[in-house]
Amino acid sequence: MHLARSDSTPRRRRGAELQAALLDAAWAELRERGYAGLTFAAVAERAGTSRPVVNRHWATKDVLVRDAIVRASAAFPLTDPDTGSVREDTISLLEQLNGAFAAFAAAMTAQLAAYFEETGTTPAELRAALIDTRWALIESVAHRAAARGEIDGTKLTPRIIRLPYDLLRHQVLMDLKPMPSQDIREIVDTVYLPLIT
C-alpha cells in the first residue's frame, strides 16, 4: 500500500531550485548580519537545509556572498527604453537603476567591509562584476543618440557616459534611499546633456 506524503513533510529541493534558495538565504543573512556575521550554518538554517549542503555548492564564504549579490542584482534587469531621445533614454535608465542602487546601498557599505578586506578587492571590482551586461546597454543609448546626430559623439568619453550613473550611485550610497525623480532629471538636464550637446 502506497502512503501519500504528509503535507508537513518538507519537499526536497535540488539543482537550481536549491541553489536559488541558498543564495536568497545568503543575501538575507548578509543584509541582516553583514559579511563578518554571515556563516554557512546560518545560511543553511535560513534555507531549511544542512551546512554540508551549503559546503557542497560553495567552498568559501566570499564566493557564496559574491554569487548571492549577483543573484540579488539580477532581480533588477535593465530594459532598453529606445525612445528616440537621449534625454528620455538616460532618465529611463537612471530610474531603473535607482531602485537597484537603493537595494544594494546598505550591503555595499558597512556590511561588505570585511568582504573587501578578506578578498583584497574593491567596491569598483564588485560593481564591474555586477554591471558588465548592463553597461553595454548604457553605452548603446549614448552611441545611438550620436548616430542620430542628437549629441556630439566626439564628447562621449567613458567617464562622461558614466557620469549620470556615478552621480546616482553616489547619492543613493550617501542617503541610503532612492534618488527623487526630480534629482534624476536635474542631473540629465543640467549636467549630462550640456556636456554632450
Side-chain angles (χ1 to χ4, degrees):
M1 176 177 166
H2 179 71
L3 295 175
R5 188 180 71 184
S6 163
D7 286 340
S8 63
T9 306
R11 183 176 58 83
R12 265 182 87 96
R13 295 163 300 179
R14 300 184 185 280
E17 183 186 8
L18 174 60
Q19 189 167 18
L22 292 169
L23 290 172
D24 290 344
W27 174 245
E29 286 291 312
L30 177 66
R31 296 187 70 182
E32 201 171 288
R33 303 175 196 278
Y35 182 80
L38 182 145
T39 65
F40 278 21
V43 169
E45 183 177 347
R46 190 181 283 263
T49 188
S50 65
R51 178 178 173 156
V53 171
V54 183
N55 285 109
R56 277 200 298 274
H57 288 84
W58 293 276
T60 61
K61 182 166 73 167
D62 63 294
V63 176
L64 169 61
V65 166
R66 185 203 60 212
D67 289 353
I69 292 169
V70 168
R71 174 173 165 77
S73 173
F76 298 95
L78 277 186
T79 57
D80 187 348
D82 199 7
T83 64
S85 159
V86 69
R87 179 183 186 273
E88 296 307 317
D89 284 355
T90 304
I91 287 171
S92 175
L93 289 174
L94 286 166
E95 291 281 11
Q96 290 178 60
L97 287 168
N98 200 16
F101 285 166
F104 285 93
M108 291 295 286
T109 54
Q111 284 90 333
L112 284 177
Y115 169 85
F116 295 124
E117 185 176 338
E118 182 178 302
T119 61
T121 59
T122 65
E125 289 170 293
L126 181 57
R127 183 191 69 192
L130 298 176
I131 68 164
D132 273 351
T133 55
R134 294 182 174 120
W135 188 245
L137 174 56
I138 288 168
E139 284 187 316
S140 75
V141 163
H143 290 297
R144 268 200 320 252
R148 289 192 302 264
E150 186 181 2
I151 61 173
D152 183 351
T154 64
K155 295 182 177 181
L156 290 180
T157 66
R159 185 176 301 278
I160 287 176
I161 293 173
R162 281 196 315 265
L163 182 63
Y165 306 95
D166 288 346
L167 291 172
L168 171 66
R169 185 180 62 254
H170 174 75
Q171 184 166 325
V172 169
L173 285 171
M174 292 298 101
D175 296 342
L176 296 180
K177 63 183 181 183
M179 178 186 280
S181 290
Q182 65 267 23
D183 290 5
I184 287 177
R185 282 162 176 73
E186 181 185 8
I187 285 172
V188 173
D189 292 337
T190 68
V191 179
Y192 185 53
L193 289 179
L195 287 173
I196 59 176
T197 54

